[in-house]
Amino acid sequence: MFGCLVAGRLVQTDAVQVSSDKFVFNLPDYENVNHVVVFMLGTVPFPAGMGGAVYFSFPDPASGGGAVWQLLGFITNDKPSAIFKMSGLKAGEGGAHPFGMMASSSSSPSVAQVGVSVEALDQLAQQIPVSSAAVSTVDSFLHFTQKMLDSLYNFASSFAVSQAQMTPNPSETFIPSSCILKWYESFQRRMTQNPNFWKN
């Protein structure tokens, strides 16, 4: 139903369902995470009049290692994805949350969680996310997309070999790096012209 993308590094679609209306993703090495994208997979919509409140939890040494939860924002059928800035969140600034002890963070000090709580839209409208998590401007979206494109290109390029180095392998398909570069430049140009072109 949901997915979570840690900017430029990891896509998760295996949320753990901790109750009938609550789901969590584990985020290892969260200290090095700058942005997280939470999105609907497009397979199961929210029920009519419902959406998902998105929370972030991390271990807080000040509270004896207990989890601190912060409301980041929400997703709905009309807004099926959202980008959240993680680097500005601070320990000790947690608030009320619907997860209780069901989704306590791992005992590891470097594992955090993103939680999605299915709630009524009128309840979501009354909630106030932490201001430092807001990433809703076009510039922020363009910045995230640029970083994601860079990451894909760098990752694909790390496997590059010359024709002389290629070993025939009938089960492997090779794609010229020039094709990736051409796609990269085209996508980047279209994003600059219209950040919402991918919605069509």
Side-chain angles (χ1 to χ4, degrees):
M1 185 172 185
F2 307 109
C4 179
L5 167 65
V6 178
R9 296 197 304 165
L10 174 70
V11 176
Q12 296 185 40
T13 57
D14 56 348
V16 177
Q17 187 168 359
V18 294
S19 73
S20 62
D21 58 353
K22 293 173 180 58
F23 306 81
V24 293
F25 296 95
N26 288 321
L27 297 183
D29 195 28
Y30 75 94
E31 298 96 335
N32 298 314
V33 173
N34 291 320
H35 294 84
V36 167
V37 180
V38 177
F39 56 93
M40 297 178 66
L41 296 176
T43 53
V44 180
F46 285 111
M50 304 294 280
V54 179
Y55 292 84
F56 176 67
S57 164
F58 54 94
D60 183 13
S63 66
V68 172
W69 287 88
Q70 297 180 345
L71 176 65
L72 303 180
F74 61 90
I75 56 176
T76 66
N77 290 335
D78 293 330
K79 181 192 169 193
S81 65
I83 304 171
F84 302 107
K85 182 179 179 185
M86 312 307 285
S87 54
L89 301 179
K90 295 186 172 48
E93 294 184 1
H97 62 84
F99 288 93
M101 295 305 292
M102 292 183 297
S104 59
S105 292
S106 162
S107 58
S108 169
S110 62
V111 174
Q113 292 180 314
V114 170
V116 179
S117 174
V118 180
E119 301 174 13
L121 292 177
D122 57 351
Q123 285 181 311
L124 294 178
Q126 296 173 26
Q127 299 176 16
I128 301 173
V130 290
S131 58
S132 56
V135 179
S136 57
T137 65
V138 170
D139 285 345
S140 296
F141 183 69
L142 288 173
H143 180 71
F144 170 77
T145 305
Q146 178 65 50
K147 292 293 186 185
M148 188 174 64
L149 290 172
D150 289 343
S151 177
L152 171 64
Y153 183 73
N154 290 336
F155 177 78
S157 297
S158 71
F159 293 94
V161 294
S162 68
Q163 271 195 325
Q165 296 170 315
M166 290 176 68
T167 305
N169 183 348
S171 64
E172 193 81 53
T173 301
F174 291 93
I175 300 171
S177 60
S178 58
C179 291
I180 302 271
L181 182 60
K182 184 177 179 181
W183 168 83
Y184 171 90
E185 292 171 343
S186 172
F187 195 96
Q188 192 174 37
R189 182 176 61 254
R190 294 177 72 187
M191 273 303 272
T192 303
Q193 294 169 349
N194 176 14
N196 295 311
F197 84 92
W198 54 273
K199 294 181 179 180
N200 298 332

